[in-house]
Amino acid sequence: MLKKNKRLIIMTVLMFALVLTACVRENGETADRAPVTLVYGTMYLDQEMRTWITEYDLAHEDLQIEVREYGQDDLEAGMMRLNAEIVRGNGPDLIDLSSIDVGSYISLGVLADLYPLIDADTELQRETFVPGILKLYEENGRLYGIAPGYRLETIMGESSLLGTPPEWTVEKMKDVIDDLPEGSCFINNLGSLGLLRIVLQGGMDEYVDREAADCFFDSDQFRELLQLAAAMDTLPVFDDDERAIAEGKVMANRLYVSELGEYAASSRLFQRKSVVCVGYPSPEGGSAVVTPYLPVGICCGENEDAAWEFVKSLLGKEFQENHVRFNFPLRQDSLQKQLEESMIRSTENESADEAIKQEDCDALYEVIYSANNSRVFDANIWDIVSEEAQAYFDGDKTLDQVVQTIQGRVKTYMSENYT
C-alpha cells in the first residue's frame, strides 16, 4: 500500500510538472509574441478619436494603435509627407479620410475595398447601417471608406414652391429663382459662391470624369451656372431669418442638421406649413449632402484584417451611441434610439408648441434614408473653381476668361492626380 501511494504521489507530481511546464511555455510564447501595431494616419486627431484609441489600446493587448498626426504644423507639408510614406511603402494602415483627396487615392489603388470585410464579418452586415450613408465612399461597387457618424446639409422650404426631391434639379431651382417676388430672395445671405457650391456639392460629376482624368468646365451648362450664381449677389439680405421667412421674403432655408431638434426648429420657421427638404440639386434630383464624421479607410497591405477589427469597433453600439457626438450614427438601431431619446427629452423639457412632433421625426428619417450622396466631392477642384469664379463675380474677369482658366487649371490638376 505504501509503494502504491508513493507511486501515485510521484505520478501526481510529474503530471503537475508537465502542466506547469506547458503553462510556462504557453505564457512564454504569449509574452514573446509582440502585439500587432497599426498606424492611424490623420492630419489632425479628433479629440473623440483620441479618447477612443486610448480606451481601445487599454482593452486590446494584442492590437495597438499608433497615431501619426501629419498636419500639426502645416497641412500641405503634412499631405506631402503622407504621400511620400505611402509611395515608400511605410504609410499608415488606417487613414482619416476627412482631409485627403479620396478620389485620387481611389484612382491610385491606395485604399482597400471594405465590402469583403463587412460581408465576411459574423457580427455586422451591410443591412446594419443606413444604406445611403454607407455608400458615401462607394465607387464601382467597391467601398473605400466608412463614416461612423455624419451630419446633413439640405434645403428646406414650402413643398408648394420647391416640389419634391426627385424634381429638384438645377433647372427647377433656376425656375424658382427666376420667379422670385420683387424684394425677396431664394436663401437669405446665400451669395454667388454659396449657390455655386450648392450645385457643385450635389452635381460635381457633371463637370469631372475621374476615370478619364478630364473635365468640362468650358461647357455652356457651366457658363449658365456661373451667370445664375452671379445674380445671387444682387438679391436683398435680411437681418431676421425667422421674420423674413414668415413674411414670405425668404423662400427657403439652407439647413445644417446633426440632431432632430435642429430639423424641428427649422420647420417651425415656416409656421408648420407643409415643408419639404429637397436637398441640393443634381441631374438625378435632390439629395441631402452628407458630411462624414471620423471617416476612415484601410490602406491596402498585409494588415487589412487587423485594421478591420479597429474599424469594426467604431461601428459597435458602444461607440455609435456614446461617442458619435453632435452627429447621427451610422447604425440603424443606434439612429432610431437617438431620435427616440430626442423626442422624449423635448416632450419633458419644452412647451407643447416647441416640442418635437412625430411628424418631424418621420420627415427627418425620410431625409436621412433618401440621402444617396455617393459622389466624391473633391475639395481641391472646388478651391480652383471658387477662386477663379470670384474674379467673375467681382467683375475683374469676363465669363469666357474665367471659364477657360478653370478648365485649364482643373484639367492640369486631374492629369497629375487621377492618372
Side-chain angles (χ1 to χ4, degrees):
M1 178 66 68
L2 182 60
K3 289 183 179 180
K4 185 176 181 180
N5 288 341
K6 187 175 180 181
R7 191 182 307 115
L8 181 60
I9 292 172
I10 293 172
M11 291 296 296
T12 301
V13 171
L14 287 174
M15 288 295 295
F16 178 77
L18 289 172
V19 171
L20 182 61
T21 301
C23 290
V24 169
R25 184 183 298 115
E26 182 178 347
N27 290 336
E29 289 175 355
T30 301
D32 292 339
R33 192 184 303 128
V36 175
T37 298
L38 300 177
V39 175
Y40 174 80
T42 180
M43 291 298 114
Y44 308 102
L45 185 61
D46 178 89
Q47 184 57 47
E48 202 64 47
M49 180 63 84
R50 185 188 302 276
T51 300
W52 185 253
I53 288 175
T54 300
E55 294 178 3
Y56 189 88
D57 284 349
L58 290 173
H60 297 81
E61 294 182 358
D62 59 333
L63 186 59
Q64 300 287 287
I65 308 299
E66 173 192 327
V67 175
R68 288 183 194 166
E69 203 167 357
Y70 292 92
Q72 284 183 312
D73 300 321
D74 183 276
L75 179 60
E76 185 174 352
M79 285 300 306
M80 292 178 64
R81 179 189 163 205
L82 169 61
N83 292 335
E85 289 184 0
I86 290 174
V87 169
R88 290 196 300 266
N90 62 338
D93 304 289
L94 298 144
I95 189 164
D96 175 5
L97 302 180
S98 57
S99 299
I100 70 166
D101 180 359
V102 178
S104 177
Y105 276 45
I106 291 174
S107 299
L108 296 172
V110 173
L111 300 172
D113 180 9
L114 302 185
Y115 275 145
L117 297 169
I118 295 174
D119 294 340
D121 198 277
T122 58
E123 299 175 14
L124 299 175
Q125 298 81 40
R126 301 189 195 195
E127 293 75 19
T128 304
F129 312 112
V130 178
I133 309 299
L134 176 64
K135 296 179 180 179
L136 184 61
Y137 293 99
E138 181 183 290
E139 187 159 308
N140 297 324
R142 296 180 175 87
L143 187 67
Y144 294 103
I146 198 164
Y150 54 94
R151 55 188 181 275
L152 305 173
E153 294 179 38
T154 186
I155 295 173
M156 174 185 280
E158 292 185 42
S159 55
S160 59
L161 177 67
L162 303 184
T164 63
E167 301 170 329
W168 192 240
T169 62
V170 176
E171 290 73 21
K172 173 66 174 178
M173 186 179 71
K174 184 177 184 300
D175 290 342
V176 170
I177 293 172
D178 288 344
D179 293 338
L180 287 174
E182 186 175 352
S184 67
C185 70
F186 174 46
I187 295 173
N188 194 29
N189 202 26
L190 178 63
S192 298
L193 282 181
L195 184 89
L196 186 60
R197 180 180 176 273
I198 278 176
V199 175
L200 293 184
Q201 190 83 39
M204 181 76 85
D205 286 351
E206 283 293 286
Y207 303 102
V208 298
D209 182 343
R210 289 191 298 276
E211 290 187 4
D214 202 359
C215 60
F216 318 103
F217 289 100
D218 55 354
S219 65
D220 291 339
Q221 181 177 337
F222 187 68
R223 284 183 168 86
E224 292 173 2
L225 173 58
L226 287 178
Q227 291 172 322
L228 176 65
M232 293 298 100
D233 286 337
T234 67
L235 298 178
V237 176
F238 301 95
D239 294 331
D240 188 333
D241 266 1
E242 184 172 358
R243 181 177 177 181
I245 290 174
E247 293 176 352
K249 294 179 180 178
V250 172
M251 300 296 107
N253 186 31
R254 181 168 51 173
L255 176 61
Y256 301 87
V257 57
S258 58
E259 59 182 16
L260 178 56
E262 292 170 333
Y263 180 92
S266 181
S267 178
R268 285 197 297 271
L269 293 178
F270 293 89
Q271 300 180 344
R272 296 291 180 185
K273 295 177 183 178
S274 177
V275 298
V276 63
C277 284
V278 289
Y280 285 5
S282 79
E284 295 80 28
S287 172
V289 169
V290 182
T291 301
Y293 175 62
L294 300 178
V296 62
I298 295 176
C299 293
C300 294
E302 60 184 13
N303 290 328
E304 291 179 26
D305 289 338
W308 169 246
E309 289 303 312
F310 176 74
V311 172
K312 181 178 172 179
S313 75
L314 304 175
L315 307 175
K317 286 190 176 183
E318 169 64 23
F319 189 86
Q320 290 280 290
E321 296 173 9
N322 299 313
H323 294 273
V324 176
R325 302 183 186 277
F326 311 111
N327 287 272
F328 297 114
L330 180 60
R331 291 179 68 107
Q332 296 196 56
D333 51 6
S334 298
L335 173 64
Q336 181 177 354
K337 180 180 178 181
Q338 184 195 87
L339 298 186
E340 288 175 351
E341 290 177 348
S342 294
M343 289 191 64
I344 293 171
R345 287 194 301 270
S346 176
T347 302
E348 293 173 346
N349 300 319
E350 297 177 356
S351 66
D353 290 338
E354 295 183 345
I356 297 171
K357 304 293 192 291
Q358 182 63 49
E359 63 194 63
D360 293 318
C361 188
D362 295 341
L364 181 57
Y365 261 120
E366 185 174 346
V367 172
I368 292 173
Y369 277 82
S370 63
N372 189 16
N373 191 213
S374 59
R375 298 173 292 271
V376 177
F377 180 75
D378 190 322
N380 293 313
I381 294 179
W382 166 247
D383 288 343
I384 294 171
V385 172
S386 59
E387 177 186 339
E388 298 299 337
Q390 189 64 59
Y392 170 63
F393 299 146
D394 292 340
D396 297 330
K397 291 184 179 181
T398 68
L399 180 62
D400 284 339
Q401 286 174 329
V402 166
V403 164
Q404 293 303 322
T405 302
I406 291 174
Q407 175 70 11
R409 288 186 61 187
V410 174
K411 192 157 188 174
T412 299
Y413 165 76
M414 297 193 71
S415 66
E416 293 174 349
N417 293 275
Y418 284 88
T419 55

